[in-house]
Amino acid sequence: MFLRELKQPVAVLHGAGKSVIQKLARMGILTVADLLGRFPRDYDDRTRSIPLSAFATGEKVHTEATVLAHEWFGYGRMRTLKLVVADDTARAVLVCFNRAFLEKQMPVGSRVLVTGKFQFRYGVIQSSAFEVEPLEGGQEPKSGMVPVYALTEGLAQGTVRRLVKTALEVSGSRVEDELPPSLLSSRGLLHKAEALRHIHFPASVEEYRAARESLAYEELFFFQLAVARRALYRRQIEIPRGISTGLLERRLRERLPFELTPDQDRSCAEIVQDMSGPHPMARLLQGDVGSGKTLVALVACLHAVESGGQAAILAPTELLARQHAATTASLLEPLGLRLAFLSGTTDDASRREVLAALASGSLDIVLGTHALFSEDVVYKNLRLAVVDEQHRFGVLQRVAMGRKGDMPDLLMMTATPIPRTLALTVFGDLAVSTIRTMPPGRKPIVTHLATTKNAPKVYDFVRKLLAEGRQAYFVYPLIEESEKADLKDAQSMAQELSSKVFAGYRVGLIHSRLKEVDKRSVMDDFVKGRSSVLVATTVVEVGVDVPNAAVMVVEHAERFGLAALHQLRGRVGRGSAQSYCFLVYAEQPTEDAKARLKAMLSTSDGFVLAEEDLRIRGPGEIAGTAQAGALKLAIADPIGDIEILEKARTDAFGIAAADPGLLGSENTVLREVLKRAPPFGEGATGSGA
Ligand code: ADP
Ligand code: MG
């Protein structure tokens, strides 16, 4: 890839004028290599023509048409051109916002090629999101897959396409491979030059797939090579450890009103063993919602502190972080531990104070969101990082990489099995502890399905529980009323429930758009029992723990994914009294929605549900949960491309283990690539290598 001419500015390309160069720069595209490295975000399949009359299918129309007339509407700067066109099947209007120049390019009577999505509006078929090109002198319509690039304002698809094409013509064929030849052949991958050509201009879907696979492999390989070297380093280094006799752990256990379950005990023992070994721990603690992972994490923290270090507990949301902070404070402050909270909403003065205390070592445990691992947070002696339910790659990776010299013990906690793969991908290697059995005395949650028509019956049932002093959650898919969808929303339903259905009871409302202080006070009211009903969106999905809450009502349950439903249901059944979950669904759910609701009825086992989820959705769909975007991968999707990832992982670990310094002749290129573009910033390649 790294020919000198590829490092030249895009200006060397014929057709790259000043204003185009400026616009590309705005997107971070400065060199020819940058340009070739921005892969299309989509393709128009122009292998077949789709006539105007087929617009209603929602597919993009792709057809040859004749320009029948030019019309104008609006005045002054708003004056806008409409091209009236027709193909053999229908007549349509192209609304040319900011494209008055098309008047000259597309004279009346000329033949054009039209691509775009059309709608039926004001009695005509029309589109404002279309591409149109003149079909000069009997030119054939463009065929094949046409790349669609991410653009910035004022930059046209055609311009980028032409530049990429030029770049490929000028230097594309001489692009060099970065992967060792042995891998290319053993994995049957394309040479980089070919992969680049085909990813930009594939002649067919198959060609695109093969190119994508090769490029994704390459990307994941370098990612995993960095991870592998880091993991090997972790296994190699020896950290000086103070001694923990378990005194603090014993004192915590004495204060608990219950015994730890055997699974919790075993997990604690495994963790303590890791934490007294010579190398930094990398362990995943998995256990279904409500299985009691938090306590195990606290035990780990106590050992870190007793041996003279600090611990950080990272939660995915502010809400959950605050809840952890409250639980932890009530359990550990009496033992004399010094705790603090840190999140994005912590004000400057308190933040400075916390940072100073962390740096000087006058704090033992800090709890918070990913702010705990931002650039300016320096720990005196961070010995343990606990990561709870964090599925975002970017954040995980920041924790995993640590800062230079930092190599704390890592404990990752999760209630879903998918993050196991995720964790492996980011941390390289990972031991696993599992909590299988729930704390004793839990009654299984009784789950019922109901249609929207029967919602009043559900409300009646809830009213009885409220009268017994229990509390209830109501969850909705939307925060506020929407014109686009005929769905119940949290705001309107909070009104309705508090003024009519549960008049006399206090109803709280919480959703992501509230300020953090307001979220906190609403949550606090519910935790303390001052409000009886909490109306919410999925913000209550993760980890919220209010044992007196006895019923979870999810309205429009057909709209929620299986993982979310399971998490939501897990908010109740946390005490010893009987709890209920009502999944209220609108008439005529889709087949997938039906399957999800049925699965929720049939089991409460999170691992079974996760498998079912995979089956219903197919593995490619899970990607959204990982928010892979944070990882800055250009093409690969670590979840959707799990098979490629696993191959890349095996290869990378094999190479790193055999040649940790990557000094062997075939591997010097790898080392150079990692050095030049460490996938994840400084330190990613491991200072021990
Ligand atoms: P999760 O694994 O979902 O994070 P939590 O740690 O929030 O679960 O625990 C759920 C609830 O179970 C908490 O209220 C906690 O106090 C309680 N709990 C944890 N361990 C036990 C136990 N051994 N016996 C009884 N209750 C327990
Ligand atoms: Mg939890």
Side-chain angles (χ1 to χ4, degrees), residues 223-236 407 652-653 656-657 659-663 670-671 674-675 684-689:
F223 169 28
Q224 287 298 290
L225 191 61
V227 171
R229 296 177 84 205
R230 187 85 180 172
L232 291 174
Y233 175 57
R234 180 181 285 278
R235 263 180 249 160
Q236 236 175 52
M407 197 50 98
F653 272 73
D659 181 9
L662 303 178
L663 297 168
L670 299 180
R671 200 188 45 195
L674 280 185
K675 226 196 274 171
T685 54
S687 40

Side-chain angles (χ1 to χ4, degrees), residues 256 258-261 264 287-296 323-324 327 331 388-389 413-415 435 438-440 442 543-547 567 570-571 574-575:
L256 290 176
F258 46 74
E259 303 269 296
L260 294 197
T261 63
Q264 282 173 315
D288 206 351
V289 204
S291 60
K293 297 183 288 292
T294 315
L295 266 176
V296 177
Q323 182 184 288
H324 277 329
T327 316
L331 288 170
D388 189 20
E389 296 291 359
M413 307 199 284
T414 176
I435 307 182
M438 291 283 164
R442 296 259 173 92
V544 173
D545 185 32
V546 181
Q567 276 284 346
R571 296 310 106 221
R574 305 191 139 236

